[in-house]
Amino acid sequence: AAHRRHRRRHARPHAATMAPILSETCDQALLRDFDLSATQCLSLALSKALGLAIIAASFTLKVPQIMKIVRSGSVEGLSFSMFFLESLVFIIASMYGVVNALPVTAYGELVIIFVQCYVLVYLQYRHTTGVGAQFVAYTALLVAFCVTSYTGVLPLEALQMLQTSTVALTIASKLPQIYQNFAARSSGKLDLFMVLLQTAGGAARVFTTLQETDDKILLLGYVIGCALNGTLLAQVLTFGDKSAAAAAKKTKAKAKKSD
């Protein structure tokens, strides 16, 4: 009986991947009848389009931050806990979306952003303590979580609890970086483009979540994440990278002295 329940629960994600982007009613109203008075369908279509745009944009979300670290060979001014906890938030939310058969347009970018966070965690280990047993254990934990979630070994109730915990994890991931920026009056190597996209994407996700699901846990996570990313954006615009400015000033002074 338990095996049958397990199969019924996990048949939904596979069915969801074959589902049309719009419902049959909206497909008829918008694509066949061109009925622009169907406001509910128009809102849904806009939500789907935004969702697909967010997924497309997510491929480059953290790439500028990755490249900034690679070029500078430094993670100065970056909070390790931010990217580490973000990776946990994104992998939990991704598996929550898969197991609960949510529309891919409602969470698809989370998988892509997780991969980028994983790379950033790797780079932080590489430029600090080195890639060793801790990073291997972190990777093994992520793999085990994905396998047990998808196969049903991890109960759905436990996954829901973990998804609820992502709200606290989101706050915990951002606050150290926000405090660090405020204390140093500098945003360090934090990339403006990445934070800008995260803030805009979070705002769009609030809208798409309201349109496509009635999942309050998912919505709360997006609202809080958007607010915290907005705070980081304000700090990057206000403070900038003081370490880079100081280094440039020092180089200029040295060159002037040698002349």
Side-chain angles (χ1 to χ4, degrees):
H3 180 64
R4 285 196 297 273
R5 284 197 301 271
H6 163 71
R7 288 185 61 186
R8 278 200 300 273
R9 188 199 336 171
H10 290 284
R12 292 176 59 202
H14 301 291
T17 59
M18 300 301 293
I21 292 178
L22 294 176
S23 64
E24 288 184 16
T25 303
C26 289
D27 179 72
Q28 178 69 39
L30 296 179
L31 301 181
R32 299 176 192 176
D33 299 338
F34 300 103
D35 181 9
L36 298 182
S37 64
T39 54
Q40 190 172 355
C41 288
L42 283 171
S43 294
L44 180 61
L46 176 60
S47 174
K48 296 290 186 181
L50 272 175
L52 292 172
I54 292 169
I55 292 171
S58 69
F59 280 96
T60 60
L61 178 63
K62 293 184 183 290
V63 171
Q65 183 68 74
I66 291 170
M67 295 308 298
K68 198 169 187 177
I69 294 172
V70 170
R71 282 195 299 266
S72 66
S74 169
V75 292
E76 183 183 357
L78 298 179
S79 169
F80 172 79
S81 63
M82 180 171 77
F83 297 116
F84 179 80
L85 292 175
E86 270 189 345
S87 71
L88 299 184
V89 168
F90 288 123
I91 196 63
I92 291 170
S94 296
M95 293 311 301
Y96 180 81
V98 170
V99 172
N100 285 284
L102 297 179
V104 175
T105 50
Y107 72 91
E109 81 282 0
L110 301 177
V111 181
I112 300 163
I113 299 172
F114 159 72
V115 173
Q116 295 171 41
C117 283
Y118 179 82
V119 173
L120 284 165
V121 171
Y122 164 80
L123 288 172
Q124 291 217 326
Y125 270 115
R126 181 180 176 183
H127 292 294
T128 52
T129 61
V131 179
Q134 285 186 341
F135 182 75
V136 172
Y138 159 74
T139 302
L141 176 66
L142 295 176
V143 172
F145 169 71
C146 291
V147 172
T148 55
S149 297
Y150 189 75
T151 59
V153 174
L154 182 69
L156 183 58
E157 295 75 17
L159 184 58
Q160 288 172 336
M161 288 179 64
L162 285 172
Q163 177 61 24
T164 303
S165 76
T166 61
V167 175
L169 286 174
T170 298
I171 296 171
S173 70
K174 303 292 185 183
L175 285 184
Q177 184 69 63
I178 290 172
Y179 174 77
Q180 190 169 313
N181 292 347
F182 182 77
R185 290 293 191 275
S186 170
S187 58
K189 301 299 179 186
L190 201 59
D191 187 76
L192 171 62
F193 181 72
M194 179 192 74
V195 180
L196 178 62
L197 275 184
Q198 283 185 159
T199 306
R205 265 293 169 233
V206 171
F207 173 76
T208 62
T209 303
L210 285 169
Q211 292 297 319
E212 297 187 42
T213 78
D214 58 354
D215 196 309
K216 299 297 188 293
I217 300 173
L218 206 59
L219 178 61
L220 181 61
Y222 284 133
V223 169
I224 292 175
C226 182
L228 293 171
N229 282 321
T231 302
L232 285 171
L233 177 60
Q235 288 183 324
V236 173
L237 291 173
T238 303
F239 299 142
D241 185 1
K242 294 292 193 300
S243 61
K249 189 175 180 181
K250 189 176 180 181
T251 303
K252 189 176 179 180
K254 189 182 289 185
K256 190 175 181 180
K257 189 176 180 180
S258 62
D259 291 342

